[in-house]
Amino acid sequence: MPSPTETFLAEMLPRQTAAERAIHQGDQEPRTALWSQADPVSLFGAWLPIRTGWADVSAAFKRVAAQFSDSREYRFEVIAAGASGDLAYTIGFEHNTVSLNGTPTTYTLRATHVYRREDGEWKIVHRHADRPPDEPAPDAEFTGTHSR
């Protein structure tokens, strides 16, 4: 029998991945559908100021979607996740190849999501994403050098 976390991930991740692919094609509707519209909700976006409350969060999604197009790859690499009762979380890396304001780009974000079960369905209530800090090359620990 799958654990609550395994059940949560099997249900939520395919829907969330599809929604992220859509927003990176300029369509915010699938992402909007995954989010709770019942406050409190919050967004600590990678390139936007902090947004709280559904009105501000949903407006941010429209702004973000307008900047993206031509999504060629989106992948969410789960590092940790948990689900218990009506709360769950994911922590991972979002790998993306897309056009941002018309310029092709590839980037990775660290992303944390918090979910709340509402009427039997998982909804996102918080997202925090940012760029990972520069890290030394894997062999730098042994050579004493850092590559950039």
Side-chain angles (χ1 to χ4, degrees):
M1 174 172 242
S3 71
T5 300
E6 291 167 332
T7 300
F8 158 74
L9 290 171
E11 177 186 328
M12 192 64 190
L13 281 186
R15 294 172 45 225
Q16 187 170 337
T17 298
E20 290 303 306
R21 286 182 179 144
I23 201 166
H24 291 101
Q25 290 285 22
D27 179 6
Q28 87 279 353
E29 290 302 322
R31 183 190 265 191
T32 298
L34 286 185
W35 274 69
S36 174
Q37 295 182 23
D39 290 332
V41 295
S42 52
L43 175 65
F44 292 11
W47 294 290
L48 295 172
I50 294 169
R51 301 287 187 231
T52 58
W54 179 243
D56 286 343
V57 168
S58 62
F61 293 162
K62 290 176 186 168
R63 180 177 171 194
V64 168
Q67 296 175 335
F68 286 112
S69 63
D70 192 28
S71 178
R72 290 171 295 254
E73 179 188 1
Y74 171 85
R75 182 172 54 88
F76 184 63
E77 175 188 357
V78 176
I79 302 300
S84 179
D86 290 332
L87 291 175
Y89 71 92
T90 56
I91 299 168
F93 292 99
E94 294 180 330
H95 304 283
N96 206 354
T97 300
V98 66
S99 289
L100 177 61
N101 295 318
T103 302
T105 187
T106 298
Y107 63 87
T108 296
L109 296 177
R110 298 182 296 187
T112 300
H113 293 89
V114 178
Y115 309 79
R116 179 173 59 222
R117 194 175 357 230
E118 297 177 356
D119 299 322
E121 184 178 358
W122 289 108
K123 296 287 187 173
I124 301 170
V125 295
H126 175 73
R127 171 183 166 85
H128 181 189
D130 62 10
R131 289 187 173 267
D134 289 337
E135 295 182 3
D139 63 348
E141 170 182 346
F142 303 106
T143 64
T145 63
H146 291 14
S147 63
R148 297 256 178 221

